[in-house]
Amino acid sequence: MESCHKYSLPLIVLFLYMSFFFVAKADASIKQRPFNNKVSAGFVFGDSTVDPGNNNYVQTFFRSNFPPYGKDFKDQTPTGRFTNGKLSTDLIVSYIGIKEYLPPYLDPSLSIEELMTGVSFASAGSGFDPLTPQISSVVSIPNQLEYFKEYKKRLQSAVGKKRMEDTIEKAVFLISAGTNDFVVNYFTLPIRRRNYTVSAYQRFILQNVKQLLQDLWDEGARRIAVTGLPPMGCLPVVITLNSENAILERDCIEKYSRVGMEYNQMLQNEVNSMRGRLTHLGAKVYYVDIFTPLVDMIQGLGKLDFDEVSDGCCGSGYLEAGFLCNPGSYVCADASKYVFFDSIHPTVKAYTKLFIVNRPVIDSMIQD
């Protein structure tokens, strides 16, 4: 648990290929709301849990636009989403009634009509620490923000300034990142550990989150939800690389989950503070708890809904993700029996359960 030194270099390199997670929200069985113009669009920033395929257009190995990813998606299409079907963000916009899927901004084929109802700027492998996206050559969060500014200019050219501003004001914004900063960066590479204690690094990440929230506010965002970290020690890949016996001992690694829990409390306090300061200006800023419901699915009564809670559906379920979860991999027959689809990312069923827990947050965001 102290480090990964006991594992071979290929395993560590493999681990660096992993990215994670936002978590969230509902499948087609959850009734959609009729579109009522209360919400104009959805915009998303973050990592692989909310990247619907932006990395398909980036020079990186962090991709999932091949089977078995998308095996339960429409027409079994692998789109670049790191799961077996819809992402949480697809489920959210479908529930609200905006559209069925939230597309990647970097898709050059998107029409103005598609752009108007929202896109995801997220990039698998990214994080709040500027070093994190450099590890995998993906789109940093500051660059995701720059794409959003570019988006606004494109929209303004097409529909005019007033309509563009109205679209932004009525939109919902979702942020999901941070796991890569800790799992792939801080705890795996020595660079940040030389200069930051764990608590100092938590504060460093939180400062970058605060900066993003402020930047989005300055760009016109008024309804923003930001997720906390998952129980990082329960990710199958983390268990595999830190367990004394990765085959027989598949319990969560408490060290990692405790760091996430501490960070989440800090983030929640900051979000509550920001909401208090800005409510009178029409802001709605929310914290989304993914830690507690995931712990329940893995360790609590919720685990009764799953047959497998500590390994993924793809391959051995211990290490495979991205290009190691590929058309040649063994794939479980029924992903709904698993919390994780690969060694990092949840299944649609897990996302659905997370949505049910956090649906009041979405409902609060879309109310007048």
Side-chain angles (χ1 to χ4, degrees), residues 134-292:
Q134 293 180 27
I135 296 169
S136 47
S137 300
V138 298
V139 184
S140 68
I141 286 179
N143 283 344
Q144 292 178 33
L145 183 67
E146 289 304 310
Y147 278 133
F148 176 59
K149 294 177 182 178
E150 176 187 274
Y151 164 90
K152 289 174 62 180
K153 292 178 181 178
R154 291 175 63 183
L155 197 60
Q156 180 172 327
S157 296
V159 302
K161 183 177 181 180
K162 186 177 186 311
R163 192 172 177 190
M164 179 275 289
E165 291 177 342
D166 187 59
T167 297
I168 302 305
E169 183 179 355
K170 289 184 177 180
V172 293
F173 289 75
L174 303 166
I175 302 168
S176 175
T179 302
N180 294 321
D181 294 316
F182 290 92
V183 173
V184 177
N185 187 345
Y186 186 84
F187 285 117
T188 303
L189 301 179
I191 300 171
R192 292 307 193 201
R193 292 200 306 274
R194 291 181 185 138
N195 299 311
Y196 294 91
T197 63
V198 171
S199 60
Y201 192 70
Q202 290 168 326
R203 293 192 295 271
F204 171 65
I205 296 301
L206 183 60
Q207 185 58 46
N208 287 320
V209 176
K210 290 165 62 177
Q211 185 62 57
L212 176 60
L213 290 170
Q214 183 61 55
D215 290 340
L216 289 174
W217 171 265
D218 293 342
E219 291 298 321
R222 295 297 179 264
R223 294 190 260 194
I224 309 171
V226 56
T227 68
L229 294 173
M232 298 182 291
C234 297
L235 304 183
V237 69
V238 173
I239 296 173
T240 300
L241 292 176
N242 292 277
S243 175
E244 292 297 324
N245 187 324
I247 303 277
L248 299 177
E249 298 178 16
R250 301 295 299 172
D251 293 333
C252 297
I253 307 300
E254 179 61 27
K255 168 186 173 181
Y256 288 85
S257 295
R258 185 171 62 251
V259 168
M261 186 167 53
E262 293 168 353
Y263 169 84
N264 287 346
Q265 187 58 61
M266 296 164 62
L267 175 61
Q268 188 171 8
N269 291 342
E270 182 58 39
V271 167
N272 290 341
S273 175
M274 184 176 182
R275 183 167 62 244
R277 295 194 308 269
L278 298 176
T279 296
H280 70 288
L281 297 176
K284 292 185 174 185
V285 187
Y286 296 92
Y287 168 79
V288 177
D289 177 19
I290 63 176
F291 188 102
T292 304

Side-chain angles (χ1 to χ4, degrees), residues 34-67:
F35 186 71
N36 56 16
N37 295 321
K38 288 183 179 180
V39 179
S40 58
F43 299 104
V44 176
F45 303 81
D47 59 20
S48 58
T49 56
V50 286
D51 177 3
N54 280 309
N55 278 17
N56 298 348
Y57 309 96
V58 176
Q59 293 299 314
T60 178
F61 288 111
F62 279 57
R63 295 183 181 180
S64 60
N65 56 337
F66 42 79

Side-chain angles (χ1 to χ4, degrees), residues 121-136:
F121 301 94
S123 178
S126 198
F128 295 113
D129 181 342
L131 176 61
T132 302
Q134 293 180 27
I135 296 169
S136 47

